[in-house]
Amino acid sequence: AKDRGRSTYHFYSSQMNAHGQAQLELQSSLRRALERGEISLVYQPKLDLRKRSVTGVEALMRWQHPTLGPVSPAQFIPLAEETGLIESLGRWALQTACRDAVMWRDAGMPVQVSVNLSPRQLNLPHLATEVSQILADSGLEPGLLELEITESGVMQNPARAASLLQEVRALGVSLAIDDFGTGYSSLSYLQRFPLSTLKIDRSFIKDLPGDADAASLTSGIVGLAQRLRMKVVAEGVETVEQLGFLRAQGCDLIQGYYLSKPIPAEEMSGFLARDLRN
Ligand code: C2E
Ligand code: CA
Ligand code: CA
Ligand code: CA
């Protein structure tokens, strides 16, 4: 039994080393991914249910690793957070998304572009300066940019986040709270931060409309957002039944595979042009 314990231990520790080694290798390849052109953005449309047209798109980052193939953002974003690489990746995403938004605007298809902001970016003292610089360089009007932040992002240092976000909001940029309903803190931040949009997390949407609890929670959240005069977006909408329920509740916008999966910018141009004709 003792021997078995020992060999189990050895097996376990060599596995940990292998895992640690793999993480280190991933880390160093992520460090060079941007300059090697392995990072790209894809866009997912948001449908305005009243206007019945696409009025916004969310930018989502992709990493095509030379040997591993596509690495999921669920894997590389946390790594980028830990290592600080998210600062340069985040800046690049903002620049690229603003440039693409200018391209769509100039093609007569203006859409608001939403970019995800990681918790670490909410610690950059010069965040508003950086955003304003990127807007100026790209020529995008601030009203066509939205930043998506998470509850955990703002609650790490609420006082600091509040002042940074006030500065960003003062530029005319919209702010959305992402993954709403999945955190653990009180709702006080809805009052504290200058939020324009609330995004209902997919975990509520996926059981609609059959699940009575999910239905109550969703209609409650939509009502809350309306009374706070926030725009409300449902994410992860996959079926026409979910869409019907959300429309009936007064949800403003939907996003999800029902409409489209995230697609490259060039494909989005075609999508927007078709949407405009319909
Ligand atoms: P998120 O911001 O909540 O983005 C929504 C995720 O749901 C995306 O996954 C999207 O592809 C996926 N999705 C959209 N519609 C559906 C649907 O109908 N069904 C299902 N099952 N999934 C759907 P993705 O692209 O893998 O991104 C995962 C997360 O990685 C994002 O979650 C976000 O937290 C993070 N992320 C992605 N790009 C960036 C970025 O540029 N910066 C930062 N800081 N985080 C990013
Ligand atoms: Ca998001
Ligand atoms: Ca989300
Ligand atoms: Ca999410």
PDB file of all heavy atoms in Angstrom, residues 41 44 58-62 72-74 77 86 93 116-118 121 148 178-179 202 235-238 255-258 262, ligand 1:
ATOM      1  N   LEU A  41     -10.082  39.219 -34.278  1.00  0.00           N
ATOM      2  CA  LEU A  41     -11.383  39.468 -33.662  1.00  0.00           C
ATOM      3  C   LEU A  41     -12.466  38.876 -34.546  1.00  0.00           C
ATOM      4  O   LEU A  41     -12.364  38.913 -35.773  1.00  0.00           O
ATOM      5  CB  LEU A  41     -11.650  40.975 -33.522  1.00  0.00           C
ATOM      6  CG  LEU A  41     -10.846  41.774 -32.501  1.00  0.00           C
ATOM      7  CD1 LEU A  41     -11.324  43.223 -32.484  1.00  0.00           C
ATOM      8  CD2 LEU A  41     -10.948  41.166 -31.101  1.00  0.00           C
ATOM      9  N   GLN A  44     -20.130  39.261 -33.216  1.00  0.00           N
ATOM     10  CA  GLN A  44     -21.454  38.646 -33.141  1.00  0.00           C
ATOM     11  C   GLN A  44     -22.515  39.753 -33.131  1.00  0.00           C
ATOM     12  O   GLN A  44     -22.419  40.693 -32.341  1.00  0.00           O
ATOM     13  CB  GLN A  44     -21.576  37.780 -31.878  1.00  0.00           C
ATOM     14  CG  GLN A  44     -22.826  36.908 -31.904  1.00  0.00           C
ATOM     15  CD  GLN A  44     -22.943  35.972 -30.720  1.00  0.00           C
ATOM     16  OE1 GLN A  44     -22.531  36.331 -29.608  1.00  0.00           O
ATOM     17  NE2 GLN A  44     -23.508  34.804 -30.929  1.00  0.00           N
ATOM     18  N   GLU A  58     -20.772  42.532 -30.988  1.00  0.00           N
ATOM     19  CA  GLU A  58     -19.778  42.350 -29.927  1.00  0.00           C
ATOM     20  C   GLU A  58     -18.500  41.764 -30.521  1.00  0.00           C
ATOM     21  O   GLU A  58     -18.551  40.794 -31.276  1.00  0.00           O
ATOM     22  CB  GLU A  58     -20.299  41.413 -28.820  1.00  0.00           C
ATOM     23  CG  GLU A  58     -19.234  41.155 -27.739  1.00  0.00           C
ATOM     24  CD  GLU A  58     -19.707  40.286 -26.568  1.00  0.00           C
ATOM     25  OE1 GLU A  58     -20.856  39.784 -26.606  1.00  0.00           O
ATOM     26  OE2 GLU A  58     -18.908  40.123 -25.625  1.00  0.00           O
ATOM     27  N   ALA A  59     -17.372  42.354 -30.166  1.00  0.00           N
ATOM     28  CA  ALA A  59     -16.070  41.862 -30.604  1.00  0.00           C
ATOM     29  C   ALA A  59     -15.585  40.780 -29.650  1.00  0.00           C
ATOM     30  O   ALA A  59     -15.599  40.966 -28.430  1.00  0.00           O
ATOM     31  CB  ALA A  59     -15.067  43.011 -30.647  1.00  0.00           C
ATOM     32  N   LEU A  60     -15.181  39.633 -30.200  1.00  0.00           N
ATOM     33  CA  LEU A  60     -14.665  38.526 -29.378  1.00  0.00           C
ATOM     34  C   LEU A  60     -13.313  38.081 -29.926  1.00  0.00           C
ATOM     35  O   LEU A  60     -13.143  37.947 -31.135  1.00  0.00           O
ATOM     36  CB  LEU A  60     -15.665  37.369 -29.369  1.00  0.00           C
ATOM     37  CG  LEU A  60     -16.992  37.698 -28.668  1.00  0.00           C
ATOM     38  CD1 LEU A  60     -18.128  36.833 -29.177  1.00  0.00           C
ATOM     39  CD2 LEU A  60     -16.845  37.565 -27.148  1.00  0.00           C
ATOM     40  N   MET A  61     -12.357  37.878 -29.027  1.00  0.00           N
ATOM     41  CA  MET A  61     -10.997  37.601 -29.445  1.00  0.00           C
ATOM     42  C   MET A  61     -10.778  36.129 -29.777  1.00  0.00           C
ATOM     43  O   MET A  61     -11.355  35.260 -29.129  1.00  0.00           O
ATOM     44  CB  MET A  61     -10.041  38.034 -28.323  1.00  0.00           C
ATOM     45  CG  MET A  61      -8.696  38.506 -28.823  1.00  0.00           C
ATOM     46  SD  MET A  61      -7.627  38.963 -27.467  1.00  0.00           S
ATOM     47  CE  MET A  61      -8.191  40.617 -27.110  1.00  0.00           C
ATOM     48  N   ARG A  62      -9.966  35.884 -30.777  1.00  0.00           N
ATOM     49  CA  ARG A  62      -9.598  34.520 -31.170  1.00  0.00           C
ATOM     50  C   ARG A  62      -8.090  34.393 -31.253  1.00  0.00           C
ATOM     51  O   ARG A  62      -7.408  35.332 -31.648  1.00  0.00           O
ATOM     52  CB  ARG A  62     -10.209  34.177 -32.544  1.00  0.00           C
ATOM     53  CG  ARG A  62     -11.739  34.096 -32.529  1.00  0.00           C
ATOM     54  CD  ARG A  62     -12.227  32.927 -31.698  1.00  0.00           C
ATOM     55  NE  ARG A  62     -13.675  32.827 -31.592  1.00  0.00           N
ATOM     56  CZ  ARG A  62     -14.396  33.286 -30.569  1.00  0.00           C
ATOM     57  NH1 ARG A  62     -13.799  33.916 -29.565  1.00  0.00           N
ATOM     58  NH2 ARG A  62     -15.697  33.119 -30.536  1.00  0.00           N
ATOM     59  N   SER A  72      -9.228  28.458 -26.911  1.00  0.00           N
ATOM     60  CA  SER A  72     -10.440  29.146 -26.459  1.00  0.00           C
ATOM     61  C   SER A  72     -10.107  30.368 -25.591  1.00  0.00           C
ATOM     62  O   SER A  72      -9.180  30.326 -24.782  1.00  0.00           O
ATOM     63  CB  SER A  72     -11.284  28.159 -25.656  1.00  0.00           C
ATOM     64  OG  SER A  72     -12.126  28.851 -24.759  1.00  0.00           O
ATOM     65  N   PRO A  73     -10.877  31.457 -25.758  1.00  0.00           N
ATOM     66  CA  PRO A  73     -10.660  32.623 -24.889  1.00  0.00           C
ATOM     67  C   PRO A  73     -10.845  32.275 -23.409  1.00  0.00           C
ATOM     68  O   PRO A  73     -10.213  32.887 -22.544  1.00  0.00           O
ATOM     69  CB  PRO A  73     -11.705  33.641 -25.344  1.00  0.00           C
ATOM     70  CG  PRO A  73     -12.492  33.020 -26.409  1.00  0.00           C
ATOM     71  CD  PRO A  73     -11.932  31.692 -26.750  1.00  0.00           C
ATOM     72  N   ALA A  74     -11.690  31.283 -23.126  1.00  0.00           N
ATOM     73  CA  ALA A  74     -11.878  30.849 -21.734  1.00  0.00           C
ATOM     74  C   ALA A  74     -10.542  30.382 -21.163  1.00  0.00           C
ATOM     75  O   ALA A  74     -10.317  30.408 -19.952  1.00  0.00           O
ATOM     76  CB  ALA A  74     -12.911  29.734 -21.671  1.00  0.00           C
ATOM     77  N   ILE A  77      -7.663  34.095 -22.110  1.00  0.00           N
ATOM     78  CA  ILE A  77      -7.931  35.393 -21.465  1.00  0.00           C
ATOM     79  C   ILE A  77      -7.476  35.384 -19.996  1.00  0.00           C
ATOM     80  O   ILE A  77      -6.771  36.303 -19.557  1.00  0.00           O
ATOM     81  CB  ILE A  77      -9.415  35.829 -21.614  1.00  0.00           C
ATOM     82  CG1 ILE A  77      -9.767  36.065 -23.094  1.00  0.00           C
ATOM     83  CG2 ILE A  77      -9.731  37.058 -20.769  1.00  0.00           C
ATOM     84  CD1 ILE A  77      -9.160  37.307 -23.742  1.00  0.00           C
ATOM     85  N   ILE A  86      -2.878  41.099 -21.057  1.00  0.00           N
ATOM     86  CA  ILE A  86      -4.206  41.599 -21.421  1.00  0.00           C
ATOM     87  C   ILE A  86      -4.165  43.093 -21.726  1.00  0.00           C
ATOM     88  O   ILE A  86      -4.982  43.588 -22.499  1.00  0.00           O
ATOM     89  CB  ILE A  86      -5.243  41.293 -20.301  1.00  0.00           C
ATOM     90  CG1 ILE A  86      -6.682  41.473 -20.801  1.00  0.00           C
ATOM     91  CG2 ILE A  86      -4.994  42.147 -19.061  1.00  0.00           C
ATOM     92  CD1 ILE A  86      -7.133  40.446 -21.804  1.00  0.00           C
ATOM     93  N   ALA A  93      -7.382  45.091 -29.273  1.00  0.00           N
ATOM     94  CA  ALA A  93      -8.793  44.772 -29.546  1.00  0.00           C
ATOM     95  C   ALA A  93      -9.605  46.062 -29.718  1.00  0.00           C
ATOM     96  O   ALA A  93     -10.424  46.176 -30.636  1.00  0.00           O
ATOM     97  CB  ALA A  93      -9.376  43.912 -28.430  1.00  0.00           C
ATOM     98  N   ASN A 116     -15.018  43.789 -24.914  1.00  0.00           N
ATOM     99  CA  ASN A 116     -14.912  43.308 -23.530  1.00  0.00           C
ATOM    100  C   ASN A 116     -13.699  43.918 -22.842  1.00  0.00           C
ATOM    101  O   ASN A 116     -12.609  43.990 -23.413  1.00  0.00           O
ATOM    102  CB  ASN A 116     -14.797  41.786 -23.512  1.00  0.00           C
ATOM    103  CG  ASN A 116     -16.084  41.119 -23.928  1.00  0.00           C
ATOM    104  OD1 ASN A 116     -17.038  41.039 -23.158  1.00  0.00           O
ATOM    105  ND2 ASN A 116     -16.147  40.663 -25.178  1.00  0.00           N
ATOM    106  N   LEU A 117     -13.915  44.348 -21.604  1.00  0.00           N
ATOM    107  CA  LEU A 117     -12.835  44.935 -20.815  1.00  0.00           C
ATOM    108  C   LEU A 117     -12.574  44.006 -19.633  1.00  0.00           C
ATOM    109  O   LEU A 117     -13.501  43.634 -18.918  1.00  0.00           O
ATOM    110  CB  LEU A 117     -13.310  46.305 -20.309  1.00  0.00           C
ATOM    111  CG  LEU A 117     -12.275  47.403 -20.197  1.00  0.00           C
ATOM    112  CD1 LEU A 117     -11.669  47.701 -21.558  1.00  0.00           C
ATOM    113  CD2 LEU A 117     -12.914  48.656 -19.630  1.00  0.00           C
ATOM    114  N   SER A 118     -11.322  43.604 -19.464  1.00  0.00           N
ATOM    115  CA  SER A 118     -11.019  42.666 -18.395  1.00  0.00           C
ATOM    116  C   SER A 118     -10.793  43.433 -17.084  1.00  0.00           C
ATOM    117  O   SER A 118     -10.528  44.632 -17.094  1.00  0.00           O
ATOM    118  CB  SER A 118      -9.796  41.843 -18.752  1.00  0.00           C
ATOM    119  OG  SER A 118      -8.646  42.558 -18.391  1.00  0.00           O
ATOM    120  N   GLN A 121      -7.834  45.726 -16.823  1.00  0.00           N
ATOM    121  CA  GLN A 121      -7.891  46.985 -17.569  1.00  0.00           C
ATOM    122  C   GLN A 121      -8.599  48.072 -16.773  1.00  0.00           C
ATOM    123  O   GLN A 121      -8.392  49.253 -17.001  1.00  0.00           O
ATOM    124  CB  GLN A 121      -8.580  46.774 -18.923  1.00  0.00           C
ATOM    125  CG  GLN A 121      -7.743  45.964 -19.898  1.00  0.00           C
ATOM    126  CD  GLN A 121      -8.523  45.660 -21.163  1.00  0.00           C
ATOM    127  OE1 GLN A 121      -9.402  44.804 -21.188  1.00  0.00           O
ATOM    128  NE2 GLN A 121      -8.216  46.377 -22.229  1.00  0.00           N
ATOM    129  N   GLU A 148     -17.856  46.416 -22.408  1.00  0.00           N
ATOM    130  CA  GLU A 148     -18.550  45.441 -21.566  1.00  0.00           C
ATOM    131  C   GLU A 148     -17.657  45.089 -20.385  1.00  0.00           C
ATOM    132  O   GLU A 148     -16.520  44.658 -20.564  1.00  0.00           O
ATOM    133  CB  GLU A 148     -18.885  44.167 -22.373  1.00  0.00           C
ATOM    134  CG  GLU A 148     -19.852  44.440 -23.515  1.00  0.00           C
ATOM    135  CD  GLU A 148     -20.452  43.164 -24.125  1.00  0.00           C
ATOM    136  OE1 GLU A 148     -20.146  42.050 -23.651  1.00  0.00           O
ATOM    137  OE2 GLU A 148     -21.235  43.305 -25.085  1.00  0.00           O
ATOM    138  N   ASP A 178     -21.834  42.938 -18.069  1.00  0.00           N
ATOM    139  CA  ASP A 178     -21.871  41.644 -18.757  1.00  0.00           C
ATOM    140  C   ASP A 178     -22.213  40.527 -17.764  1.00  0.00           C
ATOM    141  O   ASP A 178     -22.006  40.685 -16.560  1.00  0.00           O
ATOM    142  CB  ASP A 178     -20.468  41.395 -19.347  1.00  0.00           C
ATOM    143  CG  ASP A 178     -20.476  40.431 -20.522  1.00  0.00           C
ATOM    144  OD1 ASP A 178     -21.539  39.893 -20.854  1.00  0.00           O
ATOM    145  OD2 ASP A 178     -19.396  40.232 -21.109  1.00  0.00           O
ATOM    146  N   ASP A 179     -22.715  39.402 -18.270  1.00  0.00           N
ATOM    147  CA  ASP A 179     -22.969  38.210 -17.447  1.00  0.00           C
ATOM    148  C   ASP A 179     -23.833  38.534 -16.232  1.00  0.00           C
ATOM    149  O   ASP A 179     -23.620  37.981 -15.145  1.00  0.00           O
ATOM    150  CB  ASP A 179     -21.647  37.586 -16.956  1.00  0.00           C
ATOM    151  CG  ASP A 179     -20.724  37.208 -18.097  1.00  0.00           C
ATOM    152  OD1 ASP A 179     -21.209  37.067 -19.231  1.00  0.00           O
ATOM    153  OD2 ASP A 179     -19.516  37.053 -17.844  1.00  0.00           O
ATOM    154  N   ARG A 202     -26.387  34.049 -20.219  1.00  0.00           N
ATOM    155  CA  ARG A 202     -26.950  32.912 -20.949  1.00  0.00           C
ATOM    156  C   ARG A 202     -27.516  31.827 -20.025  1.00  0.00           C
ATOM    157  O   ARG A 202     -28.415  31.076 -20.411  1.00  0.00           O
ATOM    158  CB  ARG A 202     -25.855  32.318 -21.840  1.00  0.00           C
ATOM    159  CG  ARG A 202     -26.304  31.204 -22.735  1.00  0.00           C
ATOM    160  CD  ARG A 202     -25.205  30.838 -23.716  1.00  0.00           C
ATOM    161  NE  ARG A 202     -24.123  30.098 -23.075  1.00  0.00           N
ATOM    162  CZ  ARG A 202     -24.117  28.773 -22.922  1.00  0.00           C
ATOM    163  NH1 ARG A 202     -25.132  28.055 -23.346  1.00  0.00           N
ATOM    164  NH2 ARG A 202     -23.104  28.188 -22.340  1.00  0.00           N
ATOM    165  N   GLU A 235     -28.263  37.430 -23.792  1.00  0.00           N
ATOM    166  CA  GLU A 235     -27.199  36.740 -24.533  1.00  0.00           C
ATOM    167  C   GLU A 235     -27.434  35.237 -24.577  1.00  0.00           C
ATOM    168  O   GLU A 235     -28.124  34.678 -23.746  1.00  0.00           O
ATOM    169  CB  GLU A 235     -25.801  37.091 -24.012  1.00  0.00           C
ATOM    170  CG  GLU A 235     -25.562  36.971 -22.541  1.00  0.00           C
ATOM    171  CD  GLU A 235     -24.116  37.334 -22.175  1.00  0.00           C
ATOM    172  OE1 GLU A 235     -23.425  38.006 -22.955  1.00  0.00           O
ATOM    173  OE2 GLU A 235     -23.677  36.926 -21.088  1.00  0.00           O
ATOM    174  N   GLY A 236     -26.896  34.603 -25.613  1.00  0.00           N
ATOM    175  CA  GLY A 236     -27.027  33.158 -25.750  1.00  0.00           C
ATOM    176  C   GLY A 236     -28.401  32.717 -26.219  1.00  0.00           C
ATOM    177  O   GLY A 236     -28.853  31.618 -25.899  1.00  0.00           O
ATOM    178  N   VAL A 237     -29.092  33.568 -26.983  1.00  0.00           N
ATOM    179  CA  VAL A 237     -30.407  33.189 -27.519  1.00  0.00           C
ATOM    180  C   VAL A 237     -30.201  32.240 -28.697  1.00  0.00           C
ATOM    181  O   VAL A 237     -29.518  32.575 -29.660  1.00  0.00           O
ATOM    182  CB  VAL A 237     -31.199  34.445 -27.958  1.00  0.00           C
ATOM    183  CG1 VAL A 237     -32.525  34.046 -28.614  1.00  0.00           C
ATOM    184  CG2 VAL A 237     -31.439  35.360 -26.762  1.00  0.00           C
ATOM    185  N   GLU A 238     -30.777  31.042 -28.564  1.00  0.00           N
ATOM    186  CA  GLU A 238     -30.546  30.013 -29.592  1.00  0.00           C
ATOM    187  C   GLU A 238     -31.816  29.597 -30.331  1.00  0.00           C
ATOM    188  O   GLU A 238     -31.732  29.010 -31.405  1.00  0.00           O
ATOM    189  CB  GLU A 238     -29.891  28.772 -28.948  1.00  0.00           C
ATOM    190  CG  GLU A 238     -28.502  29.059 -28.392  1.00  0.00           C
ATOM    191  CD  GLU A 238     -27.785  27.826 -27.841  1.00  0.00           C
ATOM    192  OE1 GLU A 238     -28.402  26.742 -27.809  1.00  0.00           O
ATOM    193  OE2 GLU A 238     -26.611  27.965 -27.439  1.00  0.00           O
ATOM    194  N   GLN A 255     -28.867  38.528 -28.624  1.00  0.00           N
ATOM    195  CA  GLN A 255     -27.597  38.115 -29.213  1.00  0.00           C
ATOM    196  C   GLN A 255     -27.518  36.608 -29.012  1.00  0.00           C
ATOM    197  O   GLN A 255     -27.936  36.111 -27.970  1.00  0.00           O
ATOM    198  CB  GLN A 255     -26.473  38.829 -28.430  1.00  0.00           C
ATOM    199  CG  GLN A 255     -25.077  38.553 -28.917  1.00  0.00           C
ATOM    200  CD  GLN A 255     -24.021  39.258 -28.055  1.00  0.00           C
ATOM    201  OE1 GLN A 255     -24.343  40.065 -27.184  1.00  0.00           O
ATOM    202  NE2 GLN A 255     -22.770  38.940 -28.292  1.00  0.00           N
ATOM    203  N   GLY A 256     -27.010  35.887 -29.989  1.00  0.00           N
ATOM    204  CA  GLY A 256     -26.876  34.445 -29.810  1.00  0.00           C
ATOM    205  C   GLY A 256     -26.886  33.702 -31.127  1.00  0.00           C
ATOM    206  O   GLY A 256     -27.070  34.300 -32.193  1.00  0.00           O
ATOM    207  N   TYR A 257     -26.684  32.381 -31.040  1.00  0.00           N
ATOM    208  CA  TYR A 257     -26.572  31.551 -32.238  1.00  0.00           C
ATOM    209  C   TYR A 257     -27.845  31.590 -33.086  1.00  0.00           C
ATOM    210  O   TYR A 257     -27.797  31.310 -34.272  1.00  0.00           O
ATOM    211  CB  TYR A 257     -26.242  30.093 -31.857  1.00  0.00           C
ATOM    212  CG  TYR A 257     -24.904  29.904 -31.188  1.00  0.00           C
ATOM    213  CD1 TYR A 257     -24.596  28.707 -30.532  1.00  0.00           C
ATOM    214  CD2 TYR A 257     -23.928  30.902 -31.213  1.00  0.00           C
ATOM    215  CE1 TYR A 257     -23.363  28.503 -29.915  1.00  0.00           C
ATOM    216  CE2 TYR A 257     -22.700  30.716 -30.597  1.00  0.00           C
ATOM    217  CZ  TYR A 257     -22.425  29.528 -29.950  1.00  0.00           C
ATOM    218  OH  TYR A 257     -21.212  29.329 -29.341  1.00  0.00           O
ATOM    219  N   TYR A 258     -29.003  31.913 -32.468  1.00  0.00           N
ATOM    220  CA  TYR A 258     -30.237  32.017 -33.245  1.00  0.00           C
ATOM    221  C   TYR A 258     -30.029  32.986 -34.420  1.00  0.00           C
ATOM    222  O   TYR A 258     -30.493  32.749 -35.532  1.00  0.00           O
ATOM    223  CB  TYR A 258     -31.402  32.499 -32.376  1.00  0.00           C
ATOM    224  CG  TYR A 258     -32.643  32.769 -33.190  1.00  0.00           C
ATOM    225  CD1 TYR A 258     -33.414  31.720 -33.692  1.00  0.00           C
ATOM    226  CD2 TYR A 258     -33.021  34.073 -33.500  1.00  0.00           C
ATOM    227  CE1 TYR A 258     -34.526  31.962 -34.485  1.00  0.00           C
ATOM    228  CE2 TYR A 258     -34.134  34.331 -34.290  1.00  0.00           C
ATOM    229  CZ  TYR A 258     -34.882  33.260 -34.774  1.00  0.00           C
ATOM    230  OH  TYR A 258     -35.975  33.511 -35.560  1.00  0.00           O
ATOM    231  N   PRO A 262     -20.344  34.131 -33.758  1.00  0.00           N
ATOM    232  CA  PRO A 262     -19.386  35.202 -34.062  1.00  0.00           C
ATOM    233  C   PRO A 262     -18.677  34.920 -35.390  1.00  0.00           C
ATOM    234  O   PRO A 262     -18.298  33.782 -35.659  1.00  0.00           O
ATOM    235  CB  PRO A 262     -18.392  35.134 -32.888  1.00  0.00           C
ATOM    236  CG  PRO A 262     -19.110  34.399 -31.802  1.00  0.00           C
ATOM    237  CD  PRO A 262     -20.007  33.434 -32.495  1.00  0.00           C
TER     238      PRO A 262
HETATM  239  P1  C2E B   1     -18.722  36.736 -23.039  1.00  0.00           P
HETATM  240  O1  C2E B   1     -18.241  38.140 -23.096  1.00  0.00           O
HETATM  241  O2  C2E B   1     -19.856  36.450 -22.118  1.00  0.00           O
HETATM  242  O3  C2E B   1     -19.061  36.351 -24.538  1.00  0.00           O
HETATM  243  C1  C2E B   1     -20.132  35.514 -24.913  1.00  0.00           C
HETATM  244  C2  C2E B   1     -19.655  34.112 -25.221  1.00  0.00           C
HETATM  245  O4  C2E B   1     -20.788  33.291 -25.521  1.00  0.00           O
HETATM  246  C3  C2E B   1     -18.750  34.020 -26.444  1.00  0.00           C
HETATM  247  O5  C2E B   1     -17.825  32.953 -26.206  1.00  0.00           O
HETATM  248  C4  C2E B   1     -19.733  33.628 -27.557  1.00  0.00           C
HETATM  249  O6  C2E B   1     -19.105  32.994 -28.643  1.00  0.00           O
HETATM  250  C5  C2E B   1     -20.635  32.691 -26.798  1.00  0.00           C
HETATM  251  N1  C2E B   1     -21.991  32.632 -27.386  1.00  0.00           N
HETATM  252  C6  C2E B   1     -22.640  33.581 -28.081  1.00  0.00           C
HETATM  253  N2  C2E B   1     -23.878  33.178 -28.426  1.00  0.00           N
HETATM  254  C7  C2E B   1     -24.031  31.930 -27.935  1.00  0.00           C
HETATM  255  C8  C2E B   1     -25.125  30.980 -27.960  1.00  0.00           C
HETATM  256  O7  C2E B   1     -26.198  31.207 -28.512  1.00  0.00           O
HETATM  257  N3  C2E B   1     -24.902  29.793 -27.311  1.00  0.00           N
HETATM  258  C9  C2E B   1     -23.712  29.506 -26.691  1.00  0.00           C
HETATM  259  N4  C2E B   1     -23.587  28.312 -26.117  1.00  0.00           N
HETATM  260  N5  C2E B   1     -22.677  30.389 -26.641  1.00  0.00           N
HETATM  261  C10 C2E B   1     -22.835  31.585 -27.252  1.00  0.00           C
HETATM  262  P2  C2E B   1     -16.271  33.121 -26.517  1.00  0.00           P
HETATM  263  O8  C2E B   1     -16.084  33.902 -27.781  1.00  0.00           O
HETATM  264  O9  C2E B   1     -15.683  31.754 -26.433  1.00  0.00           O
HETATM  265  O10 C2E B   1     -15.734  34.018 -25.330  1.00  0.00           O
HETATM  266  C11 C2E B   1     -15.742  33.550 -24.007  1.00  0.00           C
HETATM  267  C12 C2E B   1     -15.419  34.658 -23.043  1.00  0.00           C
HETATM  268  O11 C2E B   1     -14.048  35.091 -23.207  1.00  0.00           O
HETATM  269  C13 C2E B   1     -16.247  35.912 -23.221  1.00  0.00           C
HETATM  270  O12 C2E B   1     -17.516  35.736 -22.627  1.00  0.00           O
HETATM  271  C14 C2E B   1     -15.376  36.934 -22.521  1.00  0.00           C
HETATM  272  O13 C2E B   1     -15.545  36.854 -21.135  1.00  0.00           O
HETATM  273  C15 C2E B   1     -13.978  36.450 -22.876  1.00  0.00           C
HETATM  274  N6  C2E B   1     -13.472  37.240 -24.017  1.00  0.00           N
HETATM  275  C16 C2E B   1     -13.599  37.023 -25.347  1.00  0.00           C
HETATM  276  N7  C2E B   1     -13.001  37.998 -26.073  1.00  0.00           N
HETATM  277  C17 C2E B   1     -12.477  38.867 -25.170  1.00  0.00           C
HETATM  278  C18 C2E B   1     -11.724  40.100 -25.269  1.00  0.00           C
HETATM  279  O14 C2E B   1     -11.434  40.628 -26.365  1.00  0.00           O
HETATM  280  N8  C2E B   1     -11.342  40.694 -24.092  1.00  0.00           N
HETATM  281  C19 C2E B   1     -11.665  40.170 -22.878  1.00  0.00           C
HETATM  282  N9  C2E B   1     -11.253  40.819 -21.761  1.00  0.00           N
HETATM  283  N10 C2E B   1     -12.387  39.040 -22.742  1.00  0.00           N
HETATM  284  C20 C2E B   1     -12.782  38.386 -23.873  1.00  0.00           C
END
